[in-house]
Amino acid sequence: MFPWLTLLMLAPLAGALVVAALPARAAANAPKQISLGISLAVLAYVLVLWARFDSDGGAQFAETHVWIKSFGAHYALSVDGLGLAMVLLTAILTPIVILASWHDGDNGRWAPKGMFAWLLALEGLALGCFMAADLLLFYILFEAVLFPVYFLIAGYGGANRKAASLKFLLYSLAGGLVMLVGVIGVYAETAKGDGTPTYLVADLVNHSFDTVPGRLIFVALFIAFAIKAPLFPVHTWLPDTTEAGTPGTNTMLVSVLDKLGSFAMIRFGLEMFPEASQWATPVVIALALISILYGALMAISSQDMMRLIAYTSVSHFGFIVLGIFVMNSQGLTGANIYMFAHGLSTAAIFLAAGFLIRRGGSPRIADYGGLDKVSPVLAGTFLVGCLSLLSLPGLMPFVSEFLVFVGAWREAWWIAAIAAPGIVLAAVYALWMYQRTMTGPVRPELAATKDLDTREIATLAPVIGLLLVFGFFPQPITTLVESSTEYTMSQVGASDPAPAVDGGHDEGSDQ
Amino acid sequence: MTFRAPHIEYFDLLPIFIILGAGVLGVLTEAFAPRARRYLIQTVLAAVGVAAALVFAVISLVDLARNDEVGKIAAEGAFALDGPTLVIWVIVLLLTLLGVMLFAERQLEGGVTSFAGQAAALPGTEAEREASTKGLEHTEVFPLLLFAGAGMLMFPAANDLLTLFVALEVLSLPLYLLCGLARRRRLLSQEAALKYFLLGAFSSGFFVYGLALVYGFAGSMNFAEIAEASAARTGSQGLLLAGIGLMAVGLLFKVGAAPFHAWTPDVYQGAPTAVTAYMAAATKVAAFGALLRLFYVAFGGLRWDWTPMFWVIAILTMLVGSLVALAQTDIKRLLAYSSVAHAGFLLVGFLGVRSISELGPDEIGSVQAVLFYLATYGLTTIAAFAIVTLVRDSGGEATTLDRWAGLGKESPLVAGMMAFLLLAMAGIPLTSGFVGKWAIFAAALTAGAWPLVVVAVLLSAVALYLYVKVIVLMYFGDPTGEAPSVTRPSFLTSGVIGVGVLATLVFGIVPGPLLDFLGQVGVFIR
């Protein structure tokens, strides 16, 4: 059997080593061009995988080898529809981010080639996480992926990079340790029966955990996923981190890595601990609703563009988690598509804002004004980014947000009602940011601002193009995640509530 | 009364005899060989002796595993040569070999070893200056190292109380001496030696008193007979319990567990770093080996009596090690407290004790977990201290943390390896430290000690901050004053660092074979 996925994971990692090993006297553009080439090759490879993927076939391209026998750990990779969607998102965004970060590594603590090497390493490890079919392997990759991000921020970030990157690292590693208890708990529970522990996802989904240990393990895992997602109240690292990170790093962090949290909630939460997930639903939904509203309000009050975008993500992850935990097919499909859509929309706004900040030299919204007259293309792409933040119909996020609302409504009308102001607030923060930066009188010091050059247009064009294409024609992605949604639904044992049922969520989740 | 000659299994005990023999030859070398030749003779003798012992230990271990034996009781019941003993022998001998390499390093001090030129010369006197201008060296350190190593071989193998005590003293006395032999900062070094000696002698006193009480209860020195007597519960329980407690004090002192850890930071800081490296790695391995045997074999039946005590000590040790380490400003003290914390983690694994019948076929047992942790932790630690010897300024080793700021720029390779080793101590995945931590936590959790595991994980998070702080300092700190410099070592120190880093990496990625092997041989003979 051809190791499709191992190759996919190793290609960017090997690329990272090659780029890191380039001699200092190599041409300044060599690391950038090589990284871009590698990431494009990975994208092409993923497209081939997608073409060979059977949408109804469940987990595919599986590779399973025993790794540490006494731990029950395996080196096991496979992708199902949702996994492939995330792999696709990662593969699409990496070349775009590399192209967008062309000059961002020049003022770093280390040579620019380091930044591109870390970006490729990040891609490889993130791909590994989305493909891992063994809990311990996932855990290890989930931890390992922090280090590229740490070095990207600490080495190439802005003014506050040292403290921000440290906060990020410690927050995440502490979450990882809590998760470790859960991971070991899984070992203890599976070892209990016949003394043969296992971490293989395929075995774990069939293992019925006892109620109390199952719930405790679920809580330990969920805390780590919530930190990663990030969900209120463990979101505080995200604004600080994005404030210090480069736009490219932020895109990879929020668009790709944070998806690991929500992805893992489905893969290692709902599917593995259906009973515990249902037990936790009220609390999780409450946290999701708080995230939606709190994130939006904080975004409105933010003075810094990067912080603002970070808070919009807190709000959007609230929607994703809400979609996951209402546990009906609309909500789950919505959440699955939302993960993809949010990756694209966040990339668009982060990168556009990054180009703006590079020109104006300040991340503060108050330092800008009237740029739509000086640099119309920049203003136009920035507007599209803002519109995708507020989920305008015709752009991809709309499809997913709509489905999440349908799902929430089917669970209980008041959940949808509480979440609804999130849409209004989104319009406020997105359009207000646009208005303050782009419209009005031109500031004299910005009068000579150059418009986007070809490279910058080339980075934003594919993102905006995909947002539009999937906005009008989301079928490729919906078909991809459909079988995953059905599988998750069958695992949690929840069927869609009959339309006539109109009551609290308890009725919905108990069916 | 007829006299029967004791039957000694000479071949099986060869590693001990070889090391002791090499030590004695080393002493003779001091007496007869001319000064100029001693260094060469001593290093070769020590290295060859340890290597030969290592080969024999490996052969015995492989034999044991291949024949699927439990092992044997040797020397009229004085030694138990089973899987755990042989595994610890291999680890200790490997660490001793690395220790010899560190001791023999001459390039860092400009042509002499890092031990005092003439230990008898008072610090700051004319005699000392003279010794240093003449380039004198104490090559006695090699026999001393070998004697300590022999004690460490006997300690985990001891199968009766007397042998246990003799081994404890044989391993301790040379170490007390070695601690006082630093070439630089000699007062600090001598103070460390005196502290270590006084506290060590005190703890030995506790140990002997406990030993006497246990003998009084069981009427025998032999572990198996003590186990029988304690299972029958005849005689005075008070005597037995007091004896167990007092003996635990002696052993916990050696492993550096709180509240008997107070010597660790001072001694680790004051001793020559090569000695610290050896002590931190090998003593801990040997002492945990003895602790496991004494409590699993001799007092195994009384598990419910001693576990509460060790629960308290494990939590206290992790607490002290992790929290006090935060306040340290010296890398050697910091690593000392970190070693205290690791003793706590090891005790968590030690408390994951279950009888073999409870253990599933593929499940991880506490002996297996602790042995794995000891092997990997020992190699990681010795390499970390070896790196400490490289970072120097005009006054010798620069151990204050401030002086480590900006090391990443000065020497990316050394800083990178140190960062990797620190991450291993923190238990970050893809290092052997993670696998070890996972193993002991899993062993404890499956044994039902989950509150202990939760505490251990919380304190791991604290310790994590500590290690990350050092890494951040190395990479992102700005040097104050004179930048730290990394002296180029000879192949000896580089070899130690290389082996340690490589082992940390390899056992982090493919720990399976070693773990499975330890699972197979990790059974005590009774």
Side-chain angles (χ1 to χ4, degrees), chain B residues 264-425:
Chain B
T264 329
D266 288 345
V267 173
Y268 277 29
Q269 187 189 17
T273 308
V275 176
T276 312
Y278 180 65
M279 216 160 55
T283 314
K284 194 154 276 175
V285 175
F288 259 100
L291 189 73
L292 286 178
R293 180 177 306 283
L294 181 64
F295 281 87
Y296 282 10
V297 176
F299 304 140
L302 300 166
R303 205 198 309 165
W304 304 113
D305 293 306
W306 52 257
T307 36
M309 170 182 78
F310 277 101
W311 271 60
V312 174
I313 287 176
I315 291 175
L316 194 65
T317 306
M318 292 186 286
L319 208 63
V320 168
S322 309
L323 292 181
V324 183
L326 290 176
Q328 300 308 314
T329 55
D330 183 287
I331 185 83
K332 280 169 89 177
R333 287 185 82 86
L334 189 145
L335 288 176
Y337 276 107
S338 128
S339 94
V340 172
H342 282 282
F345 293 134
L346 278 160
L347 284 175
V348 172
F350 168 71
L351 284 168
V353 54
R354 282 187 298 168
S355 55
I356 297 168
S357 55
E358 290 173 49
L359 219 56
D362 288 339
E363 260 190 285
I364 197 151
S366 72
V367 179
Q368 179 187 10
V370 169
L371 287 178
F372 182 86
Y373 199 102
L374 286 173
T376 53
Y377 173 75
L379 289 167
T380 305
T381 305
I382 204 167
F385 276 108
I387 288 181
V388 172
T389 63
L390 304 186
V391 183
R392 311 175 77 91
D393 56 18
S394 51
E397 285 163 15
T399 56
T400 29
L401 273 179
D402 294 346
R403 311 279 302 121
W404 281 57
L407 195 71
K409 235 186 178 93
E410 165 73 23
S411 176
L413 182 68
V414 169
M417 287 191 297
M418 189 68 183
F420 179 68
L421 295 172
L422 289 173
L423 288 178
M425 291 185 195

Side-chain angles (χ1 to χ4, degrees), chain A residues 67 109 150 154 173 187 199, chain B residues 364 438 464-465 472 475-476 509:
Chain A
W67 176 28
R109 198 176 169 90
Y150 171 75
L173 287 177
Y187 170 88
Y199 274 129
Chain B
I364 197 151
W438 191 99
L464 186 73
Y465 171 72
V472 170
Y475 278 100
F476 302 105
I509 296 173

Side-chain angles (χ1 to χ4, degrees), chain A residues 134-157:
Chain A
D134 179 281
L135 180 58
L136 193 72
L137 182 67
F138 174 82
Y139 174 77
I140 286 175
L141 292 167
F142 189 76
E143 293 283 278
V145 81
L146 301 173
F147 288 89
V149 180
Y150 171 75
F151 282 105
L152 280 169
I153 297 164
Y156 302 94

Side-chain angles (χ1 to χ4, degrees), chain B residues 89-165:
Chain B
W89 278 10
V90 171
I91 303 172
V92 164
L93 286 169
L94 189 62
L95 292 172
T96 310
L97 192 62
L98 298 177
V100 170
M101 290 164 75
L102 284 182
F103 277 35
E105 175 66 55
R106 271 172 138 180
Q107 198 160 313
L108 294 173
E109 286 284 357
V112 287
T113 57
S114 56
F115 295 96
Q118 197 174 6
L122 291 177
T125 58
E126 190 57 40
E128 188 194 35
R129 264 188 293 282
E130 199 182 318
S132 100
T133 44
K134 273 193 192 158
L136 296 186
E137 290 177 299
H138 267 305
T139 43
E140 288 94 336
V141 293
F142 294 99
L144 286 173
L145 174 69
L146 291 177
F147 287 132
M152 288 177 196
L153 295 185
M154 289 154 65
F155 205 31
N159 193 41
D160 66 40
L161 295 176
L162 268 187
T163 318
L164 190 67
F165 179 66

